[in-house]
Structure formats: structure tokens, C-alpha cells
């Protein structure tokens, strides 16, 4: 009897049995981080039980920082470009909501502009609605738009606007926070930003460009709402 008990004890010590852990997971091998990864941009990356070694950490951290910097640069191009243009306006004496620049003739290869054509004169100005709505009065046909400071489209101006269609009119340009009334008969343009670029092309026969420019100078007006001012034109 003693021999049987002793044999049972020895047997149990030689081949122990354990119950499976209650929360043990059968993790698929395809979701486990391998010890070594060959990447397209960073080369070989090494891990120990899913944790990167120091060299892998340094390479990936540098890559992430560089990618973030590139993303910030690309997202800022539009804003920087617009601010550079506004600075150019100011350098020749143009004032927001007051001064409008008009090309006296057609642009050409020597004109420092982004993708201009050579068939119509151009009109450019800055509209800033930070201190309240701004009025743009047009009496001649133009083709144009209003972009905000991030170079995003804010509104149609001129022949493509359904309430203008080349007839002209008074545009009431205002920020979305404006709580006042919109004057009757005005063409409203609501914006999400304050600074804007007004870009127009004078519509008409190329041979009549000088006449069309002179007419636009005599009729176009840009001023803060409630403070009507005549156009200060630049050539």
C-alpha cells in the first residue's frame, strides 16, 4: 500500500497538469508584430515582443516629425500666398475696402501673376469684413469671384452670379456673425472669414478695352457699409 501511494506521488510530480488560464487568448500570428519589418521608406525596423528597439524608434520618430512638417507646410501655402499678395497690395498704396487695382492693358509673359490670360484686363482688391459688411457697386459687366484668406471660394461676382448676370448691382459682403439686416435690393454674399481677395476680369471686346476700363473706373465703388466712398484706382 505504501509503495502505491509513493508511486502516485512520484508520478504526479513528474508530469504536472495545469488548467488553461481563464483569459488566455489565441492571438492570430498575422496580428502580432514581427521581430523584423522591411519598410519602403525607413528600411529595416526591428522589434522585441512588439516593442521597437532604439534605432527603430529614432527612425520612425524622425519620419513622423518630417511628415508632420510637410503637412503643415502644404496646408499653409494658400494662406501664405494670399498674405503675400495682400502685402504686395499694401506696398503700392492699396487699402482694404477702399482701393482697387486695375490693369491698364492686357497682361503678358512679363506680368507676375498666377495663370492670367492675355485677353481681358484684370481688377484686384482686398475686402475685409472684420469691422462690418462691405459694399461693392458694379455697373459694368465683369467676370469675377471672392476668395477668402485661405484661397477658398467665397462667392461669385459679375456675369456668373444669378442676380447680376452682367447687369451689375450692389453686393453686400458680410461675415456670418453679422446680426443686422441686409438692405433691400442688394446682392448678399455671406462669408466664413474676414479677409478676402476680390478678383475681376472686365468683360467686353478686346478692341474696346480702354473704353471698358475707363467706364469701370467711373462706376465701380468699394467701401464699408454706411461709409460710401468713390474708388481710388491704381494703374
Amino acid at each position: 500500500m505504501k509503495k502505491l501511494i509513493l508511486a502516485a506521488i512520484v508520478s504526479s510530480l513528474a508530469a504536472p497538469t495545469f488548467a488553461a488560464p481563464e483569459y488566455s487568448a489565441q492571438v492570430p500570428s498575422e496580428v502580432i508584430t514581427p521581430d523584423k519589418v522591411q519598410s519602403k521608406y525607413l528600411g529595416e525596423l526591428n522589434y522585441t515582443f512588439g516593442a521597437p528597439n532604439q534605432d527603430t524608434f529614432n527612425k520612425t520618430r524622425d519620419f513622423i516629425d518630417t511628415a508632420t512638417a510637410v503637412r503643415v507646410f502644404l496646408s499653409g501655402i494658400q494662406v501664405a500666398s494670399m498674405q503675400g499678395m495682400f502685402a504686395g497690395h499694401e506696398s503700392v498704396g492699396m487699402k482694404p475696402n477702399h482701393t482697387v487695382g486695375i490693369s491698364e492693358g492686357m497682361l503678358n509673359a512679363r506680368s507676375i501673376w498666377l495663370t492670367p490670360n492675355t485677353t481681358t484686363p484684370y481688377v484686384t482688391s482686398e475686402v475685409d469684413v472684420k469691422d462690418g459688411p462691405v459694399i461693392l457697386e458694379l455697373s459694368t459687366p465683369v467676370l469675377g469671384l471672392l476668395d477668402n484668406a485661405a484661397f477658398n471660394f467665397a462667392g461669385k461676382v459679375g456675369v456668373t452670379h444669378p442676380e447680376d448676370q452682367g447687369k451689375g448691382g450692389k453686393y453686400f459682403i458680410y461675415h456670418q456673425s453679422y446680426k443686422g439686416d441686409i438692405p433691400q435690393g442688394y446682392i448678399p454674399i455671406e462669408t466664413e472669414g474676414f479677409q478676402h481677395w476680390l478678383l475681376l476680369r472686365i468683360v467686353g471686346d478686346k478692341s474696346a478695352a480702354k473704353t471698358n476700363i475707363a467706364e469701370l473706373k467711373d462706376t465701380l465703388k468699394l467701401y464699408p457699409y454706411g461709409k460710401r466712398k468713390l474708388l481710388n484706382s491704381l494703374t
Side-chain angles (χ1 to χ4, degrees):
M1 184 66 178
K2 291 182 180 179
K3 290 182 178 180
L4 291 175
I5 295 174
L6 181 60
I9 294 173
V10 171
S11 176
S12 64
L13 292 175
T17 58
F18 300 98
E22 182 179 355
Y23 298 106
S24 62
Q26 298 298 319
V27 182
S29 60
E30 60 268 20
V31 302
I32 296 176
T33 303
D35 293 336
K36 185 176 296 185
V37 174
Q38 192 65 35
S39 68
K40 181 177 180 179
Y41 297 105
L42 301 181
E44 185 177 288
L45 304 176
N46 295 285
Y47 301 85
T48 301
F49 298 118
N53 65 15
Q54 191 62 50
D55 180 63
T56 293
F57 172 83
N58 292 340
K59 286 195 292 186
T60 54
R61 183 71 264 174
D62 182 66
F63 180 80
I64 292 171
D65 290 344
T66 301
T68 300
V70 171
R71 185 167 60 251
V72 170
F73 175 81
L74 292 176
S75 63
I77 287 177
Q78 298 92 327
V79 174
S81 178
M82 192 68 82
Q83 291 304 314
M85 184 171 59
F86 291 153
H89 283 180
E90 294 174 7
S91 71
V92 293
M94 295 177 63
K95 299 179 180 179
N97 307 332
H98 182 264
T99 313
V100 176
I102 304 173
S103 62
E104 287 290 349
M106 306 302 169
L107 302 185
N108 54 44
R110 295 187 178 90
S111 304
I112 311 300
W113 274 62
L114 178 66
T115 64
N117 66 48
T118 60
T119 58
T120 56
Y122 278 82
V123 179
T124 181
S125 188
E126 179 183 347
V127 176
D128 192 333
V129 296
K130 182 178 181 180
D131 296 324
V134 173
I135 306 300
L136 170 66
E137 294 187 17
L138 292 172
S139 299
T140 57
V142 296
L143 173 66
L145 53 78
L146 200 69
D147 278 350
N148 65 21
F151 243 125
N152 293 322
F153 175 77
K156 300 175 181 178
V157 177
V159 297
T160 59
H161 197 291
E163 296 184 47
D164 183 321
Q165 298 183 347
K167 303 185 298 294
K170 294 181 178 180
Y171 287 80
F172 188 82
I173 306 167
Y174 65 100
H175 188 261
Q176 60 185 7
S177 63
Y178 174 69
K179 302 299 183 183
D181 296 327
I182 298 175
Q184 187 174 3
Y186 283 63
I187 301 173
I189 296 181
E190 179 181 302
T191 76
E192 297 179 351
F194 295 132
Q195 284 183 301
H196 301 81
W197 178 33
L198 175 67
L199 176 65
L200 309 174
R201 289 166 55 186
I202 301 174
V203 177
D205 190 272
K206 188 174 181 179
S207 62
K210 290 186 177 180
T211 301
N212 294 335
I213 291 171
E215 185 178 356
L216 182 133
K217 284 184 177 181
D218 290 339
T219 58
L220 188 152
K221 299 176 179 65
L222 182 69
Y223 53 91
Y225 179 48
K227 299 179 182 180
R228 192 173 188 274
K229 295 181 180 180
L230 294 178
L231 165 71
N232 277 355
S233 63
L234 294 176
T235 60

